[in-house]
Amino acid sequence: MSKGTREEITTWGHEYLHHLAAEIGEEYNRRLIANANRDELTALVRQIVPNFMAHNSEHDAIDLLMEVDQLENLVEYVTDTNFQRVVLYLMSTSQYCADQDEWLKTLRIAYESSLKQKQYVYALVIAIKLDDVDRIRRVFDIATDPNVLKQLSFIAARQRINLELPEDLQKIASNSLLSEFFLLLQKDLDVLEPKAPDQVYKVQFEEKTKTGAQLDSLKQNLADTYVNAFVNLGSGRDTLMNVKEGQPWIHNLKNDAQVAGTGSLGLIHMWDIEEGSTSITDYLNLKDGFARMGACIAIGVTNTGVTNEFDTAKALLEEQLQGRDDYAKRGAVIGLGIAYAGSAREDLLEILTPLVIDPNLSVELSAFAALSIGLIFVGRCHEDAANSILQTLSERPENQLNMTISRYFSVGLSLLFLGQQDNCEAIIDALGIINHPIKKYTETLVEACAFVGSGNVLKVQKMLHQCLGNPEEKDAGYQAVAVLGVGLIAASEDVGSEMSLRMINHLLQYGNVTVKRAIPLALALLNLSNPKVTIMDHLSKLSHDSDAETSQRAIIALGLIGAGTNNSRLAGIFRQLAVYYAKDPSNLYLVRISQGLLHMGKGLVTIQPYYYDRFLYSKVSMAGIIIFANSCLDMTNIIIEKYHYMLFYLCLSIYPKSLFLLDESLKPLPVSVRVGQAVDVVGQAGQPKRITGFQTHNAPVLISYGERAEIATEEMIPITDVVLENFVIIKKNPNYSEDQDKPRKKTSL
């Protein structure tokens, strides 16, 4: 290099520059270690990068700038023609950054490039990924086009971001349109008619066997209540609770089952505050503490994700906290957590903190209060919230911490650090003051939550390392959490998911009993609302396991991977399991619940937290999954027995999996849309097809896990470059001519 010329090296051709770039990277690292001068390498980079950017090799230019630690120079080379390829490549490579600093730098450069090109949707999505409220506000402040602002508001609504916006945008960002569009989707797909639990179970197919599946009447009624709620979710109509004729269904439920009965109204009226409040308020005045507890939960479920200027949920639930009934108080605390998840409201912290730190209150009430604090301040690293939970963990006597319900102190604390990565180190050190096995459980869970969706290989290895050894079963809870941690950390991208599946298979062969029992839940976390055949078969085998805990978790895991999919193969598996466990009431009850999950929302919803081509995840949605997964670590005492209402926390993760195309006044347009399997085209040359094996339908359409949509006509285009999911505002293509949509004639040679 020193003997030849350094001028006009670009004339030597692309292949030469490609090899030269690779050698520059190696030489730069050598000189960096030797602390030698690197100026001549920098000069070469300045010549090579513009050439790569001008000749469709943006990915090579970015790789070179990363190698020589000059990625910040990329912004000056970004133009409107190469912007999309550059930013998509930066977003993809951010998943494989070596540390948090490099990850932050990569995404911040993508953010600045987006603002430079006035691509505000990309800028907002990256700001959400960075979890930077100031950058999110900056996007809304800079954007001026009213339709672009509406599109940004729809994205903010999906993530539950609370911003002070003008009234028309606030209506979108508050999710108040969600119920209206969900009912419209049901009407369009002709599924408005409510479904009865027996239509879900398809009992007629089970009765052909010698022993029809039977539950005792109270357990059957409880299962029917949950299935009715999940299947008729968000429709405002059902076949049990809102029926005017005959004896009210609530009379068929006794004691804690009444919590499920009144609580199910929240799911049936989900996102519809007006109708829900009218239907539920009557139950708040009952004398029975269980029924009132369910009504309080129902208020929370109805309001979840929907912000209301009248603060209905707080007004109704705060009144219940003033009473003496412990069950009604528990319901009010759970309801507040569900209704205001992710809102970070300080006034709610003032209400809930005394309930957490008061040692004279029941463990249940304090644990649910801690959980609600974790939900309200999810991912905020809130110091006062963390200290209150830490205080009660250190002060509660050992016999109380041994109770299964105490795990929710750990879960609440962990949720405060969801996705915050290295920011969790201080709280993990502070946990050293606790002298109880719950300390190890909490440390492992905090770390798993902090690195959720990061794909951090070192943390996955650390979680696997926790699974070694054979502690006593009562002290081994942390190992089950470590197995869940593998699923939580690795679920964000395909390579990590595949590798973790191999690790999980090893754990199944060589792990101890505690580790093996947690494996079905880890498989579910990797494939939520994504019923892959291999995973289905794996879990189906585990659902017949001789160990009761393993089989029970596998049954629920089958429900989670099929949630909202109506998958016919899974439905067949559940019918077989119903017959197989006809004489086992606990397992049969779980089969019924899982059938409800499979047909959730009549197949129109998902519980998958990841969205926007799996680049983002909803923190509140992820929190709901984490709470439920931890509840499933003690199936018998929580899900099957007296805390079965933990199922309601799944409502945090439920969201319609639809695509609505809207005009500028937010009216749905029946535009033709292609939906097919997503193809990864990042870094590929030209304009390759982004979907394969597609079907064409008129909007609104359903988009399942791993699918992508594109508009099938050239006549309409999105108002800004955006991933087609949820709600997308479109406009007439100004450059459209009718010839563009005509099929091309085949020409013979």
Side-chain angles (χ1 to χ4, degrees), residues 42 53 136 213 223 229 233 238 243 285 296 337 342 359 366 405 407 443 461 504 535 575 624 636 650 676:
T42 306
M53 295 293 281
I136 292 169
L233 180 143
D238 72 302
V243 178
N285 302 321
C296 291
S366 291
I405 201 74
R407 72 182 66 235
E443 285 175 347
Q461 287 177 342
I504 284 168
I535 304 297
R575 286 198 293 274
T636 306
L650 277 177

Side-chain angles (χ1 to χ4, degrees), residues 293 296-297 317 320-321 327-337:
M293 179 180 178
C296 291
I297 294 173
L317 297 176
Q320 295 296 322
L321 280 175
Y327 289 105
K329 282 185 177 180
R330 279 188 222 173
V333 163
I334 294 171
L336 283 171

